[in-house]
Amino acid sequence: MRLTAFTDISLRIVMRLAVVDGDELLTTRAVADALAVPYTHAAKAVARLSELGLVEARRGRGGGLQLTAAGRGVTVGSIARRLEGEHDVAGCEDAALPCPLRASCRLRGALRQAQEAFYASLDTVTVAALVAEPAGAILLGLPAPPRYGVGGPRA
């Protein structure tokens, strides 16, 4: 089983926000830089996490990102299911190349069962468990990578 890059980025954002001190708010740019992911990818992930009620995103001066109470209590399996969506592990439903075994195939059911077992194992892991020490300290200490303008670093 493999998670999409979108889900991976989203989970890392949740982890980073889970270790924020008190009422500190981080910007999407700061989170993207600290996690070394493209800003546009982080912005899409933040938007989806906000839609799911896991992250509160406030705009404007004094705005930023904050993990909601729901985001703190959710399991990794729940987040992954919601971000990955309902899709087959195999391409059984591909309209361009329909599988001739689709009507009576047992592989599809076995793959769905394996997928659910994967998510069920992630249902035992909470966001709090992900950021327990030593991960929490590492997440807090992530330096933002240097930002270079056109032409690279200046001497």
Side-chain angles (χ1 to χ4, degrees):
M1 192 62 219
R2 184 180 177 110
L3 297 175
T4 61
F6 180 77
T7 299
D8 175 49
I9 290 169
S10 299
L11 288 169
R12 288 192 274 157
I13 289 170
V14 168
M15 290 171 64
R16 178 58 185 97
L17 294 176
V19 296
V20 169
D21 290 331
D23 291 332
E24 178 187 4
L25 298 175
L26 298 175
T27 65
T28 303
R29 173 82 57 202
V31 171
D33 288 349
L35 298 174
V37 298
Y39 170 79
T40 54
H41 293 15
K44 288 177 187 176
V46 164
R48 182 69 175 123
L49 292 167
S50 183
E51 287 173 12
L52 295 174
L54 304 176
V55 170
E56 180 183 354
R58 291 185 231 153
R59 293 180 164 265
R61 180 167 250 218
L65 307 175
Q66 195 169 39
L67 204 57
T68 64
R72 291 189 185 289
V74 72
T75 66
V76 176
S78 176
I79 297 171
R81 270 188 197 87
R82 293 163 78 182
L83 294 174
E84 291 290 317
E86 297 294 322
H87 65 277
D88 281 332
V89 177
C92 300
E93 297 297 324
D94 188 349
L97 298 168
C99 178
L101 302 174
R102 187 172 52 199
S104 62
C105 183
R106 291 187 179 151
L107 176 61
R108 184 175 179 192
L111 291 174
R112 279 191 180 153
Q113 189 176 6
Q115 181 181 32
E116 184 49 39
F118 173 77
Y119 288 136
S121 69
L122 293 176
D123 283 337
T124 65
V125 182
T126 63
V127 171
L130 287 179
V131 299
E133 294 306 324
I138 293 168
L139 284 162
L140 282 171
L142 288 176
R147 304 187 72 123
Y148 301 119
V150 177
R154 293 186 185 157

